[in-house]
Amino acid sequence: MAGGQDERRSELLRQGAEADGVELVEYESRHRPGTSAERRARRPVLLFWALAAVAGAAAIAHYIVWPWKYVPPQEPGYALYQAYTPLLGMWLGLSLIGVFGALINHVRRVLPKETAVQQRHPTGPSSEENREIFVATVEDAADNVGIRRRSVFGRAMGIGAGVAGASVAVIGVGGFVESPWQPGPRRGEADTLWHTGWYPEDGEKVYLRIETADPEQVALVRPGDIDPGGLLAVFPFRESERGNPQQLKEVLSRADNPATLFRFRPGERVEYRPDRAGMNYGDYYVFSRICTHLGCAVNLWEKQVNRLLCPCHQSQFDLNQYAKPIFGPAARPLPQLPISVDESGFFYATGDFTGPVGPTFWELPK
Ligand code: FES
């Protein structure tokens, strides 16, 4: 910078300090430019920016290539799946440590030592002179920070902060890359978030099945398998899945499949709703087992009053009112599954749930 401009800026800074009632008690550079002391002070700043850049790039790579799809325990790949979120958090955390470490070291080791005392001043629009002073102050700060004079700082800051910011942006945008509304590869239209595993495709019946110790064993349910006032957890089953271990297991792990088959006691009063007519089979009703608050399994049961309880945040659903929430944070009823009984006496679903399962579409895997 030309000497005249330098003097003019110093003069403006001094005027600005006086006009703002600022007393500069201390203002001195920490190191003379170009000395080895200055180079030593810069080193940790550059190292922290490098950490921010490397960890940010690792977070982006991890997010894109690491296997993230759900793998049940004891299956190959379960350890990798389990490590997905902790490792992603670790890379992002290191990247943020890099950013803040660089900024803290820059302020403590590189910027001039400054102690200033400023009086309060009245609020209102700034005068032309004050604006000029502000510009001079910002330019002076840019020079002192070293971004302008020491271009290596500017580049390190640009790369470190840029990559760290990009890692956060990639993760934010990544969830929108694959549209959850598009038909999926295996079951086409039935794979969209509008449908669960109970969605009947190609006219094939979807039976109610209970889970046993062996996921490949198929145990269907008939009326009479539960006592009045009792309930059972049920999952969908199609004859085309019989003998296919992979599909029989997948059905049990899909997030929106679990449902509760409930049998009312004889003579119990259930609220009548014309829009739900024909969805029950006598005293038997089926509702989603997934809480509409945050998606826990609603698996506690108050038998005397026909209420299902969610153990996570204590929402209660009244089965006498079609699983309407009557206590706790859940705001929507558990969706109902329409059922009937086929000619062999087994329960089957005549359609999909009456509404979205769980808290939101976005958290359900395809
Ligand atoms: S997840 Fe059920 S009450 Fe919160």
Side-chain angles (χ1 to χ4, degrees), residues 226-246:
I226 48 176
D227 295 329
L231 48 78
L232 273 179
V234 290
F235 300 84
F237 168 74
R238 295 168 168 78
E239 274 302 332
S240 59
E241 292 167 350
R242 199 182 283 280
N244 185 330
Q246 181 66 21

Side-chain angles (χ1 to χ4, degrees), residues 71-186:
V71 177
Q74 278 102 45
E75 296 270 315
Y78 177 66
L80 285 182
Y81 160 74
Q82 272 219 312
Y84 177 79
T85 305
L87 281 179
L88 185 60
M90 185 190 77
W91 292 126
L92 288 173
L94 283 176
S95 189
L96 284 180
I97 288 172
V99 170
F100 290 116
L103 292 177
I104 290 167
N105 274 281
H106 204 122
V107 170
R108 293 179 63 114
R109 294 168 183 262
V110 179
L111 290 189
K113 282 189 216 160
E114 177 182 328
T115 309
V117 179
Q118 181 175 22
Q119 307 302 321
R120 268 176 188 269
H121 55 79
T123 54
S126 306
S127 66
E128 186 57 40
E129 187 193 11
N130 276 345
R131 280 185 225 146
E132 228 185 318
I133 290 167
F134 175 76
V135 171
T137 308
V138 170
E139 286 183 347
D140 184 66
D143 275 355
N144 281 328
V145 164
I147 294 172
R148 223 189 245 177
R149 183 159 46 86
R150 293 182 283 270
S151 61
V152 66
F153 266 179
R155 284 202 296 272
M157 185 184 286
I159 294 170
V163 177
S167 65
V168 175
V170 162
I171 290 162
V173 172
F176 296 95
V177 170
E178 189 178 358
S179 169
W181 310 108
Q182 295 303 312
R186 193 168 71 77

